[in-house]
Amino acid sequence: MAVKPPVPVIPAPIWRNFKDLQEYEEHRQRRPEGDKHSSLFESITEGIHSFPGGFVVTTPADAFLNWARKSSVWPVTFGLACCAIEMMATFCSRFDVERLGMVPWASPRHSDLMIVSGTVTIKMAPMLLRIYDQMPDPKWAVSMGSCSNSGGPFRHGYHVVKGVDRVIPVDVYVPGCPPPPESLLNGLLLLQEQISHFKRTGVRADPNPKVD
Amino acid sequence: MTSATGPTVVELDYAGGERLTMNMGPQHPSAHGVFRAILTLEGETVVGVDAVIGYLHRCHEKLAETLTYAQYPSIASKTDYVAAMTSEFAYVMAAEAIGKIEVPKRAQYLRVITAELQRVASHLLWLGTWCMDMGGALGGGATIFLYCIREREMVLDLFEKLVGARLLYGFFQVGGVRYDIPEGWAQSCRDTIDQIEQRVGEYEQQLEENPFFLARAQNVGVISRELAEDVGISGPLLRGSGVNYDLRRAQPYSSYEDFTFAIPVETAGDCFARYRVRMAEFRQAISIVRQALDRLPNGPISSRPGLKSVAQTRIPKGEHYARVEGPRGEVGCYLVADGSAKPYRMKWRGASFSNLAVLPFIIPGHKVADVVAIMGSVDPVFGEVDR
Amino acid sequence: MSYEQARTLIGERFTSAQVDPGTPERRSLGEGGPLVVTLPADQWLPFATFAKETLGCRFFSFLTAVDWKDQGIDVLARLDNLDTTVSVTMKTRLAAGVSQCDSLAPVYRGANWMERECYDMFGIRFDGHPDLRRILLADDWQGYPLLKSYAVDTPYPPYR
């Protein structure tokens, strides 16, 4: 069907006028290969974005999805040393992290969070890295206790890695030797706070987020 | 199977002739830590075990050579972190024996009280995790686990009031203990152990009336007396194999001769016997705590003055092997002193190390599902295995 | 069996051994303490067999070593008789530069892991051990950490 002149010009999407949204879209397209979300999540977000007017609610949609993410962070049951006993106590009767939506899960392939609870040794570091790699993106890591923060009292030992951040990226450091469950609980709440700022692009939150 | 045309890549023989190598660990929900077992299977039956340990080797023995006698006890608690009190106990006992340092009677009683409370806490954790291994987190085993942790928290509260820490204490020092019991502690301790004693009876009833529990525990992982002694396993495992040997009775240390208590012995040597021994030990430990609280003498809590001068503790030349009966067995510390403020050499004899060495002898012949039951009944703590 | 009888038996059978009472475990009990038997290296395995069969020390407690720098390495093992609570610590001195010792694994099954640990930490090769490889450290580890010549903070790439 022929269109009579004057041919109407379809306006460019409105988000092209906003600089931050441009950056956002650019980031989305340049997302590295290995940092993909699960396909279900991908299809949900694609659906929202292709919905008429969906781009307008992009930010609320991310807030919603991040809320969903932060409310069901499943840690992998991965105990290394002394701190693992305190981690177990945190998951158990009295402190009960399950009320925050954290179900300790035995398989790294279904978990979102790794709580590195204890000294990482040189023999263990490759195993730890492998377990971390097995977890699907997006994933977070909490370093629990002095040993995994920096080596702690065993820092000078020949067989001790001086901090788990030499092996995997860490989001929250919980100090203490061992940190009491209250301390770990605080660390997990901080992590939830951080997840709620998590960008859809997979970049970690700004360490110094602007507070309104 | 090899055909006439050449060898096939995979040998499959469903009659049971084929062997499969299966890796278990180091991240395994029922491995109680970082333990890796390479199992050789024939069908569902385990025919060979290669245990890989060392994932938590934290250089304790080398670090002890660089730390003074006042610094190390709080690090010593990180060897057996489920029973931190007993590992500190062994270290300070070795230093006291070489230095011929007297320990006041009140300090000895406080040591006994904390060591026995620690035994209760450690056995509670063992009972919970073992039942969870056998029942599965979603299969009902978590019930006992949550109950046991509830009781363990009560004991940890007592320690928190006493020391200020929940898990690793640094309560012992060469010559005595660091803190005296606060006001009202003795009464809350009595209340707690009364409650625990009653509840342990409930758990025993729950478990022993459960046919699934009995089927998984009885006649599984039998350790004969001869094997037990030869490998050097100790503690509840040894007593579950019919050896009436407890260091608290055989070689009383720290005033254990003042208390009356029974040594539970079972002769079957299977997982259920070890379970029975530990359940009886709960009651004995509680009774020792009661007796010690009743007869707690007055006096100083340490034969050496406060912390600052303990930092300069010098131990004369000599060597000694001190051992205590921990919840897992004989926790020993072999100390060689050279007259300076630091030991020349220290060797931990971790009870779990020797106890774990029995696994390659008892697991073959069992099914894969029994491996976790046997490992849980051995109750290893990997800080002590790898040190 | 008391410590006195054990001393006599050891003195009759092993003339080259030197028997000392160790530090008494409790000074209030004058038991004579656990025996420390210093042996020449060639008597190491025969003594273990003797202790197991004659002294009844069937409980293998531990085996370890002490590095005395240029004076060699002491290897020691502790054996217990659980019925009479007689304890024997057997000791032998390997001269500097020597890293060969007889294995106790044929006599005591518990010596298997203990000797592997000792090999791991001190580099002592136990002759007759069925499966001598590193146990705590990785198989490709360089050096023997508990030797006095090994610094505690020796770096290990790539993690340090």
Side-chain angles (χ1 to χ4, degrees):
Chain A
M1 190 175 125
V3 181
K4 285 184 207 160
V7 181
V9 181
I10 298 168
I14 193 164
W15 54 265
R16 287 188 198 269
N17 299 331
F18 297 103
K19 189 158 173 275
D20 49 352
L21 289 178
Q22 284 169 18
E23 280 174 11
Y24 189 67
E25 186 65 16
E26 216 174 280
H27 238 326
R28 195 170 86 90
Q29 281 163 5
R30 277 196 292 117
R31 195 168 58 215
E33 270 303 302
D35 204 5
K36 286 231 165 92
H37 311 296
S38 69
S39 55
L40 177 66
F41 189 79
E42 193 78 23
S43 54
I44 291 173
T45 45
E46 287 304 324
I48 287 171
H49 278 268
S50 59
F51 198 76
F55 54 85
V56 180
V57 292
T58 300
T59 316
D62 272 1
F64 165 73
L65 292 166
N66 280 334
W67 168 81
R69 265 178 189 150
K70 82 164 195 184
S71 310
S72 70
V73 181
W74 286 12
V76 55
T77 56
F78 179 52
L80 279 173
C82 333
C83 292
I85 308 292
E86 287 296 69
M87 186 176 81
M88 271 163 61
T90 319
F91 290 152
C92 278
S93 335
R94 183 183 286 180
F95 297 97
D96 190 17
V97 169
E98 225 161 290
R99 67 204 151 115
L100 305 178
M102 296 188 172
V103 184
W105 206 251
S107 163
R109 297 193 188 274
H110 306 140
S111 333
D112 314 297
L113 168 65
M114 177 189 256
I115 301 177
V116 185
S117 54
T119 318
V120 184
T121 59
I122 285 169
K123 197 171 177 181
M124 193 65 209
M127 308 290 172
L128 185 119
L129 186 61
R130 176 177 289 190
I131 293 167
Y132 185 78
D133 286 345
Q134 283 176 354
M135 287 162 51
D137 276 318
K139 55 192 170 186
W140 294 276
V142 170
S143 160
M144 179 187 180
S146 317
C147 288
S148 65
N149 289 350
S150 69
F154 304 102
R155 186 178 172 84
H156 303 294
Y158 49 86
H159 199 240
V160 176
V161 177
K162 292 175 177 182
V164 72
D165 47 8
R166 299 186 183 212
V167 187
I168 58 170
V170 174
D171 294 276
V172 175
Y173 295 87
V174 182
C177 185
E182 297 90 338
S183 208
L184 178 62
L185 218 53
N186 184 34
L188 294 176
L189 289 173
L190 281 175
L191 180 78
Q192 289 198 336
E193 180 92 28
Q194 207 185 42
I195 294 174
S196 64
H197 296 176
F198 185 75
K199 294 260 174 59
R200 210 179 129 253
T201 48
V203 280
R204 289 201 149 71
D206 186 357
N208 302 310
K210 276 178 228 151
V211 183
D212 311 319
Chain B
M1 279 173 278
T2 313
S3 64
T5 50
T8 46
V9 180
V10 184
E11 290 194 18
L12 278 180
D13 177 6
Y14 292 103
E18 183 244 354
R19 290 196 167 184
L20 173 77
T21 306
M22 193 179 83
N23 181 52
M24 192 175 150
Q27 188 264 336
H28 190 274
S30 61
H32 287 228
V34 279
F35 176 67
R36 179 173 170 210
I38 301 168
L39 306 172
T40 311
L41 308 179
E42 261 180 19
E44 186 77 0
T45 311
V46 183
V47 293
V49 185
D50 188 9
V52 183
I53 58 173
Y55 290 107
L56 195 53
H57 178 59
R58 298 193 275 193
C59 338
H60 267 281
E61 294 176 11
K62 190 81 176 172
L63 278 173
E65 294 169 11
T66 66
L67 297 172
T68 64
Y69 293 104
Q71 286 172 328
Y72 190 69
S74 58
I75 307 289
S77 60
K78 291 167 186 66
T79 53
D80 183 353
Y81 42 78
V82 179
M85 289 287 184
T86 45
S87 29
E88 293 170 25
F89 204 164
Y91 181 80
V92 296
M93 260 177 59
E96 281 156 6
I98 300 172
K100 299 192 171 43
I101 297 167
E102 282 296 336
V103 182
K105 201 74 174 167
R106 186 177 173 85
Q108 292 188 6
Y109 272 60
L110 287 177
R111 285 179 176 189
V112 168
I113 291 171
T114 49
E116 294 301 319
L117 280 177
Q118 184 74 80
R119 190 184 311 277
V120 172
S122 166
H123 281 358
L124 278 170
L125 189 69
W126 159 79
L127 182 64
T129 48
W130 188 48
C131 291
M132 189 152 90
D133 290 351
M134 297 208 301
L138 303 176
T143 315
I144 289 282
F145 181 59
L146 292 175
Y147 282 148
C148 286
I149 293 288
R150 179 184 64 179
E151 264 68 85
R152 187 170 174 273
E153 292 286 333
M154 287 164 34
V155 181
L156 295 191
D157 279 350
L158 288 177
F159 285 140
E160 199 171 2
K161 274 185 214 158
L162 179 65
V163 189
R166 276 167 51 88
L167 192 68
L168 310 172
Y169 311 104
F171 179 64
F172 289 62
Q173 67 178 14
V174 177
V177 294
R178 270 191 191 153
Y179 309 101
D180 205 341
I181 54 174
E183 209 175 314
W185 192 85
Q187 189 52 45
S188 56
C189 180
R190 277 176 214 273
D191 295 346
T192 306
I193 56 179
D194 287 348
Q195 221 168 355
I196 291 176
E197 191 174 29
Q198 181 211 337
R199 286 182 181 167
V200 164
E202 288 170 18
Y203 305 152
E204 209 168 18
Q205 204 180 353
Q206 278 181 22
L207 289 170
E208 290 179 16
E209 285 175 3
N210 186 338
F212 297 102
F213 175 78
L214 297 180
R216 293 207 64 182
Q218 280 174 334
N219 295 321
V220 170
V222 178
I223 305 177
S224 68
R225 181 186 167 135
E226 185 265 333
L227 174 68
E229 288 190 314
D230 212 20
V231 178
I233 67 173
S234 50
L237 280 78
L238 186 65
R239 292 192 282 279
S241 300
V243 184
N244 188 351
Y245 183 72
D246 189 314
L247 282 167
R248 295 173 292 172
R249 179 64 56 79
Q251 200 182 69
Y253 52 91
S254 188
S255 299
Y256 265 110
E257 67 274 13
D258 296 358
F259 309 114
T260 50
F261 58 96
I263 297 170
V265 178
E266 295 275 334
T267 49
D270 55 0
C271 291
F272 190 68
R274 301 194 269 278
Y275 155 83
R276 291 290 311 157
V277 168
R278 287 191 177 105
M279 293 312 264
E281 278 187 4
F282 269 123
R283 306 225 162 79
Q284 299 307 322
I286 285 171
S287 119
I288 294 174
V289 174
R290 274 201 198 111
Q291 293 174 41
L293 282 175
D294 285 341
R295 300 188 216 151
L296 188 62
N298 289 320
I301 55 163
S302 178
S303 62
R304 306 181 71 82
L307 274 174
K308 273 188 182 159
S309 59
V310 172
Q312 283 114 38
T313 306
R314 280 178 192 275
I315 303 290
K317 224 171 172 167
E319 60 181 64
H320 184 66
Y321 175 65
R323 48 190 184 165
V324 297
E325 183 72 32
R328 263 157 283 285
E330 178 184 331
V331 181
C333 177
Y334 176 74
L335 202 65
V336 181
D338 61 350
S340 68
K342 297 168 185 172
Y344 184 78
R345 164 101 172 93
M346 194 218 45
K347 152 89 184 161
W348 274 113
R349 188 239 186 244
S352 302
F353 184 84
S354 297
N355 290 355
L356 205 68
V358 82
L359 284 186
F361 300 107
I362 58 172
I363 285 182
H366 286 94
K367 300 277 189 281
V368 179
D370 291 332
V371 173
V372 288
I374 294 171
M375 242 177 64
S377 78
V378 167
D379 188 18
V381 169
F382 282 86
E384 203 186 25
V385 174
D386 302 335
R387 298 181 299 279
Chain C
M1 181 183 295
S2 67
Y3 279 113
E4 286 308 314
Q5 286 170 322
R7 276 188 91 139
T8 326
L9 280 171
I10 296 168
E12 283 168 6
R13 173 79 171 72
F14 294 90
T15 43
S16 52
Q18 181 197 344
V19 186
D20 307 307
T23 319
E25 313 239 325
R26 295 188 65 228
R27 274 173 298 126
S28 53
L29 299 176
E31 307 176 334
L35 296 179
V36 180
V37 185
T38 313
L39 298 154
D42 58 333
Q43 300 283 303
W44 183 246
L45 192 57
F47 184 84
T49 320
F50 164 79
K52 186 173 185 180
E53 282 160 11
T54 312
L55 301 181
C57 295
R58 288 188 299 271
F59 183 83
F60 187 83
S61 187
F62 71 92
L63 179 141
T64 188
V66 183
D67 180 17
W68 293 105
K69 292 175 189 164
D70 49 349
Q71 294 164 35
I73 295 178
D74 268 354
V75 183
L76 57 114
R78 183 171 168 124
L79 314 168
D80 288 319
N81 185 336
L82 298 189
D83 301 320
T84 59
T85 67
V86 165
S87 304
V88 178
T89 305
M90 49 193 281
K91 222 180 216 190
T92 186
R93 174 68 61 95
L94 307 178
V98 177
S99 59
Q100 294 278 328
C101 183
D102 283 339
S103 169
L104 298 186
V107 186
Y108 292 98
R109 278 176 277 186
N112 188 323
W113 278 25
M114 290 284 181
E115 284 176 355
R116 275 177 70 186
E117 192 198 338
C118 200
Y119 164 69
D120 199 351
M121 294 293 150
F122 290 93
I124 300 168
R125 295 182 180 278
F126 290 92
D127 294 335
H129 190 284
D131 180 23
L132 196 64
R133 56 200 161 94
R134 287 190 184 266
I135 185 165
L136 293 181
L137 304 175
D139 286 334
D140 56 349
W141 192 271
Q142 301 286 314
Y144 300 103
L146 279 180
L147 294 177
K148 289 283 172 185
S149 55
Y150 192 95
V152 64
D153 50 358
T154 305
Y156 182 92
Y159 297 112
R160 297 287 295 269

